[in-house]
């Protein structure tokens, strides 16, 4: 599936379009992005990416968004819905253009994404797996409320060495404790039900 | 099937939806303002899928589908679905995508036209629906047309820190015609 608009303060998630695909291809070919964790797919021709986008739109258990800032695509995120109750979801890819790193866009998009899942879809938990050396992503995850519950060894190989992977989860209770004021909508006025 | 063109008051009409209307629905279903009561704000939103959906609606033999137009422009959709032609009962639904036009009476007029068509053209015996209790605009539009509450499904969903309930309503032609005569 493709996702609709989720607004942050600096960035917004929006429905992906074919016009985004050359950017996606460039990010997938960027070694800085490839170090960050899981990739959507390997670089390919635009026609191949169009097929991949159609497949992503049809996939019933995943939702794909483009991350946009200042009117242009700066990344993408795909989340997979859990199979078992209580409802949870798992971040498959969260990619940000290296040209906009260190501007707070990753944090802003991540907070908006989790507000959508916890406050709008009423999720019970979220999950993510991150390379143990991705300091920026780990900082965002921990600030949000993710905690490590598993440690995979020698999961990634690059620059002649293996890197571990941290399995993390973010529970509803933590969201409520830390981010109770983050709302998708203003409360209904009193008497709305009359 | 697609419903016929029905002219209403104040520049509002029901008309058969076109293939060109379908991308509008995709845009509206992506907007937070129009999806408070329509989760999950995600879907298979490709032109290909919109075309398939449109063709399915057009071929359907147990539903009547309309676009809602205001001053000539498509602003939403409505219909009667899952029609049982033996019991002559159907379920109605309505979606105004243009949130900047909320509060203008468009839904009320669309429900009035749709309900009138259900009796006078389809000769249905009953129409029922489910509406979020907190969706006051849509609920009032149906109540004004004559829908009566028959139940409340409490706490069907939790969103933005509040529970939402589902209002169940029904309407019969006698209610409307009696009221029109009185």
């Amino acid at each position: 599936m493709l996702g609709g608009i989720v607004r942050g303060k600096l960035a917004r998630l929006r429905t992906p379009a074919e016009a985004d695909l050359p950017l996606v291809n460039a990010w997938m070919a960027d070694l800085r992005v490839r170090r960050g964790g899981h990739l959507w797919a390997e670089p390919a021709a635009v026609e191949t990416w169009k097929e991949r986008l159609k497949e992503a739109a049809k996939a019933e258990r995943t939702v794909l968004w483009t991350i946009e800032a200042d009117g242009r695509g700066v990344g993408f995120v795909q989340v997979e819905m859990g199979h078992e109750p209580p409802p949870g979801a798992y971040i498959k890819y969260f990619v940000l253009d290296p040209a906009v790193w260190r501007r707070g866009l990753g944090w802003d998009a991540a907070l908006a994404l989790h507000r959508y899942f916890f406050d709008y879809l009423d999720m019970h938990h979220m999950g993510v797996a991150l390379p143990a050396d991705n300091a920026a992503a780990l900082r965002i995850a921990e600030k949000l409320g993710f905690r490590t519950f598993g440690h995979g060894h020698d999961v990634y190989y690059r620059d002649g060495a293996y890197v571990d992977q941290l399995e993390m989860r973010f529970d509803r209770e933590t969201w409520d404790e830390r981010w109770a004021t983050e709302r998708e909508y203003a409360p209904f006025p009193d008497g709305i039900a009359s | 099937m697609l419903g016929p063109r029905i002219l209403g008051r104040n520049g509002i009409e029901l008309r058969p939806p076109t293939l060109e209307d379908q991308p509008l629905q995709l845009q509206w279903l992506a907007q937070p303002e129009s999806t408070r009561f329509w989760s999950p704000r995600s879907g298979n939103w490709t032109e290909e899928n919109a075309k398939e959906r449109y063709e399915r609606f057009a071929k359907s033999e147990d539903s009547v589908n309309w676009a809602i137009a205001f001053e000539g422009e498509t602003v939403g959709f409505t219909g009667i679905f899952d029609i049982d032609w033996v019991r002559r009962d159907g379920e109605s639904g309505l979606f105004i995508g243009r949130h900047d036009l909320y509060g203008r009476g468009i839904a009320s007029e669309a429900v009035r036209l749709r309900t009138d068509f259900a009796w006078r053209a389809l000769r249905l015996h009953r129409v029922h629906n489910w509406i979020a209790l907190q969706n006051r605009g849509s609920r009032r539009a149906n109540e004004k047309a004559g829908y009566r509450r028959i139940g409340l499904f409490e706490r069907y969903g939790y969103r933005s820190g509040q529970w939402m309930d589902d209002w169940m309503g029904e309407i019969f032609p006698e209610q409307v015609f009696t009221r029109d005569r009185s």
Side-chain angles (χ1 to χ4, degrees), chain A residues 57-77:
Chain A
K58 283 182 197 165
E60 292 184 358
R61 300 207 67 83
T62 59
V63 186
L64 178 73
W65 286 271
T66 291
I67 304 171
E68 183 183 88
D70 299 326
R72 73 177 191 93
V74 296
F76 65 89
V77 55

Side-chain angles (χ1 to χ4, degrees), chain A residues 8-89:
Chain A
K9 291 185 174 66
L10 305 172
R12 69 171 191 159
L13 312 183
R14 64 155 168 82
T15 309
E18 286 188 357
D20 300 328
L21 296 175
L23 288 169
V24 173
N25 189 51
W27 298 328
M28 293 297 91
D30 191 314
L31 286 175
R32 292 168 296 177
V33 171
R34 296 173 70 89
R35 290 181 64 89
H38 298 275
L39 302 174
W40 178 353
E42 294 298 326
V46 171
E47 287 306 313
T48 304
W49 278 108
K50 286 182 183 175
E51 290 303 314
R52 290 171 177 169
L53 181 59
K54 278 186 191 169
E55 289 304 312
K58 283 182 197 165
E60 292 184 358
R61 300 207 67 83
T62 59
V63 186
L64 178 73
W65 286 271
T66 291
I67 304 171
E68 183 183 88
D70 299 326
R72 73 177 191 93
V74 296
F76 65 89
V77 55
Q78 189 178 46
V79 177
E80 182 165 9
M81 303 298 180
H83 290 269
E84 301 293 334

Side-chain angles (χ1 to χ4, degrees), chain A residues 130 132 150-157 161-167:
Chain A
L130 294 172
H151 191 130
H153 299 94
D154 295 351
V155 175
Y156 306 93
Y157 186 80
Y162 282 104
V163 175
D164 291 350
Q165 175 173 273
L166 302 181
E167 297 283 351

Side-chain angles (χ1 to χ4, degrees), chain A:
Chain A
M1 293 190 288
L2 305 181
I5 292 170
V6 182
R7 295 193 183 96
K9 291 185 174 66
L10 305 172
R12 69 171 191 159
L13 312 183
R14 64 155 168 82
T15 309
E18 286 188 357
D20 300 328
L21 296 175
L23 288 169
V24 173
N25 189 51
W27 298 328
M28 293 297 91
D30 191 314
L31 286 175
R32 292 168 296 177
V33 171
R34 296 173 70 89
R35 290 181 64 89
H38 298 275
L39 302 174
W40 178 353
E42 294 298 326
V46 171
E47 287 306 313
T48 304
W49 278 108
K50 286 182 183 175
E51 290 303 314
R52 290 171 177 169
L53 181 59
K54 278 186 191 169
E55 289 304 312
K58 283 182 197 165
E60 292 184 358
R61 300 207 67 83
T62 59
V63 186
L64 178 73
W65 286 271
T66 291
I67 304 171
E68 183 183 88
D70 299 326
R72 73 177 191 93
V74 296
F76 65 89
V77 55
Q78 189 178 46
V79 177
E80 182 165 9
M81 303 298 180
H83 290 269
E84 301 293 334
Y90 186 89
I91 299 172
K92 289 181 72 179
Y93 326 115
F94 192 113
V95 167
L96 202 63
D97 185 342
V100 298
W101 285 0
R102 286 181 280 280
R103 285 173 43 186
L105 295 173
W107 162 254
D108 190 60
L111 179 60
L113 177 75
H114 287 82
R115 189 187 67 220
Y116 169 82
F117 277 101
F118 283 119
D119 192 57
Y120 182 70
L121 293 186
D122 196 25
M123 286 285 163
H124 176 263
H125 59 269
M126 298 290 292
V128 70
L130 294 172
D133 64 350
N134 188 340
L138 287 169
R139 202 162 43 242
I140 290 171
E142 287 166 359
K143 187 175 170 186
L144 277 169
F146 280 92
R147 62 182 172 79
T148 303
F149 69 91
H151 191 130
H153 299 94
D154 295 351
V155 175
Y156 306 93
Y157 186 80
R158 64 218 176 185
D159 300 334
Y162 282 104
V163 175
D164 291 350
Q165 175 173 273
L166 302 181
E167 297 283 351
M168 308 181 81
R169 63 178 289 163
F170 182 6
D171 292 297
R172 172 84 203 198
E173 292 76 16
T174 309
W175 170 266
D176 288 340
E177 282 167 19
R178 294 191 185 185
W179 307 107
T181 58
E182 286 289 329
R183 294 291 183 200
E184 278 285 285
Y185 297 102
F188 296 118
D190 289 341
I192 189 78
S194 61

